[in-house]
Amino acid sequence: MLDTTAPLADLPSPASRSLVVEHARTVAELVDRQALTLESLLATLRSARLDDRAARTMAIDIAASAMVEIRTETDHQRSLLLEPVVGAFARLRSDLRPLVRFGDLDVQFVEPPATGRALPGEVAHAARAIVRSAVLALVDTGESRRVRIQWDCDGLNLLMSIRDDGAGALTVHDDSLRPIAERVTALDGSLSVASTPGWGSDVAVTLPLDPPAESGSLDDTVALSVREREVLRLVASGARNRAIAESLGISENTVKFHVSNLLRKAGARTRAELTALTR
């Protein structure tokens, strides 16, 4: 029975319920596949038509294929589900435990607020990978003895800071940070590095928690005159200035003037970029 006294914010949304149902269905399918894999392994190993070597080879192939399939599906499911920010941070601490326990590195973890917004699975997974890579980049020179890792959430973004006490020579263009920069860019985030020689470096990463809003076409987002809309439509069709001039009964210089205004308003550098913004 539904608790009608529960705050509306605590009630599962239709989208959340749909994700839960889909996740349960996928788990059930994985269980069925695992059972089928085990039956196939047993059938292979018991087969009287295969010698021991052939049976082992086939069994290894079956097991390897099943493992790849399970890991692929698991990664996909993680990318769909939400993960509490404190839980995601706890997993990060667990990931770094061997480095802390068996190395000479002193790692300080600054917990995110327990009330922070839950992270999409893709963001949580990427955030942990980014921090791991950043820590390795900071300690790669062997000069860092202390690293401070902090997560925070402003409701719209996950804010991460990884600071060390090393030489302070790291820059955003450092090769060791290239994989991080690519991952951050793929998630429409931002990356910055502040270094002070002799005092250490601070890698700051911001990851948005929501996908970027789909922008409307240029015709919907920029104020255009009737004539500019006509020119824009013809530019988008691939027409050159002379053809546009003939079609609208104006001079080529006037067309050039309108195209120049359209480029400026759209922030585009070329006609190709301008055309892309109309779609």
Side-chain angles (χ1 to χ4, degrees):
M1 181 175 180
L2 181 64
D3 181 5
T4 57
T5 64
L8 290 178
D10 294 337
L11 298 178
S13 66
S16 298
R17 291 195 296 269
S18 177
L19 280 175
V20 171
V21 171
E22 177 64 18
H23 179 62
R25 183 191 64 78
T26 302
V27 170
E29 287 185 359
L30 285 175
V31 171
D32 289 342
R33 291 177 193 171
Q34 185 179 30
L36 179 61
T37 298
L38 292 175
E39 290 289 349
S40 299
L41 287 172
L42 289 174
T44 299
L45 295 174
R46 291 171 176 171
S47 175
R49 292 180 294 178
L50 298 172
D51 58 32
D52 288 348
R53 183 174 181 180
R56 284 197 302 270
T57 300
M58 185 170 292
I60 290 173
D61 288 342
I62 293 173
S65 297
M67 286 296 297
V68 170
E69 184 176 5
I70 289 174
R71 288 175 179 171
T72 300
E73 187 61 39
T74 299
D75 288 344
H76 175 64
Q77 287 300 309
R78 284 177 179 171
S79 71
L80 296 178
L81 298 178
L82 294 176
E83 194 170 340
V85 64
V86 291
F89 194 77
R91 289 186 61 185
L92 172 66
R93 295 185 68 158
S94 178
D95 290 345
L96 294 176
R97 185 174 294 126
L99 186 63
V100 177
R101 184 176 180 183
F102 302 110
D104 297 327
L105 189 65
D106 177 19
V107 181
Q108 177 188 5
F109 295 93
V110 181
E111 299 276 351
T115 56
R117 179 179 165 188
L119 309 179
E122 182 182 15
V123 173
H125 180 72
R128 287 190 292 268
I130 287 169
V131 172
R132 292 194 301 266
S133 298
V135 169
L136 292 176
L138 289 171
V139 303
D140 188 52
T141 61
E143 299 177 359
S144 300
R145 292 292 177 265
R146 184 177 296 106
V147 173
R148 181 175 181 269
I149 300 171
Q150 180 175 6
W151 279 16
D152 202 349
C153 186
D154 64 5
L156 297 176
N157 305 282
L158 175 63
L159 312 173
M160 300 185 292
S161 172
I162 308 98
R163 183 177 180 83
D164 78 335
D165 63 348
L170 194 69
T171 72
V172 73
H173 302 295
D174 195 285
D175 285 343
S176 62
L177 294 183
R178 185 174 301 169
I180 296 176
E182 292 175 352
R183 196 151 199 167
V184 170
T185 300
L187 291 172
D188 295 304
S190 62
L191 167 70
S192 64
V193 178
S195 296
T196 303
W199 289 90
S201 301
D202 186 1
V203 178
V205 176
T206 300
L207 297 179
L209 301 183
D210 296 306
E214 293 186 6
S215 58
S217 67
L218 177 62
D219 195 46
D220 297 328
T221 57
V222 177
L224 301 177
S225 68
V226 174
R227 180 63 81 188
E228 285 173 339
R229 292 178 189 274
E230 293 173 340
V231 172
L232 177 61
R233 176 178 55 81
L234 292 170
V235 168
S237 72
R240 307 310 300 172
N241 287 353
R242 177 176 294 181
I244 295 174
E246 293 175 353
S247 176
L248 298 179
I250 57 179
S251 69
E252 284 191 56
N253 285 336
T254 302
V255 173
K256 291 178 182 178
F257 171 78
H258 286 310
V259 171
S260 178
N261 277 343
L262 288 169
L263 292 170
R264 175 180 55 80
K265 289 183 177 182
R269 293 172 298 178
T270 64
R271 295 169 77 104
E273 289 184 9
L274 185 61
T275 299
L277 291 172
T278 65
R279 296 172 181 171

